Amino acid sequence: MVGKTFKGMTDELLDWQTRTFPGHVREETAWGVLLEPGLVVEIAVDGAQRSPCYPGGVALRFARVLRYRPDKTPAEADTLEAVQALLAGS
């Protein structure tokens, strides 16, 4: 995990998530729902910073949801190393 965001989400996107996510539930916990890693979301960021709060050691700065990418698989998503490389520009 490198952050959490709800910024940039439209009512249409929230409606889509509400309809789609139940079909991807892996586990329900006291604090939320874990989904199977099959959906790719495109997130815009203004950079990254070191963070002791997230397991990846990095937090996204001003993260906002752009869209979901049905044309991409999880294997095509950026890696933690790619996100950590943003630290060099911070």
Side-chain angles (χ1 to χ4, degrees), residues 3 8 12-13 27 29 33-34 38 63 72 79:
E12 180 181 57
L13 184 57
E27 178 185 350
T29 69
V33 177
L34 298 174
K72 301 284 184 183
T79 63

Side-chain angles (χ1 to χ4, degrees), residues 18-87:
T18 300
R19 291 188 316 272
T20 304
F21 283 7
H24 296 273
V25 172
R26 174 175 36 178
E27 178 185 350
E28 294 189 40
T29 69
W31 56 267
V33 177
L34 298 174
L35 301 180
E36 292 290 338
L39 301 171
V40 176
V41 62
E42 186 173 348
I43 304 292
V45 300
D46 290 346
Q49 65 188 39
R50 296 193 191 290
S51 173
C53 298
Y54 294 117
V58 61
L60 303 176
R61 292 183 44 81
F62 303 105
R64 56 215 173 270
V65 176
L66 294 181
R67 61 186 169 144
Y68 280 85
R69 298 291 304 264
D71 59 317
K72 301 284 184 183
T73 67
E76 296 172 285
D78 282 337
T79 63
L80 177 58
E81 291 76 18
V83 175
Q84 290 170 334
L86 295 174
L87 291 172

Side-chain angles (χ1 to χ4, degrees), residues 4-15:
K4 302 173 190 175
T5 188
F6 295 97
K7 294 178 182 134
M9 296 180 70
T10 63
D11 287 343
E12 180 181 57
L13 184 57
L14 287 169
D15 287 341

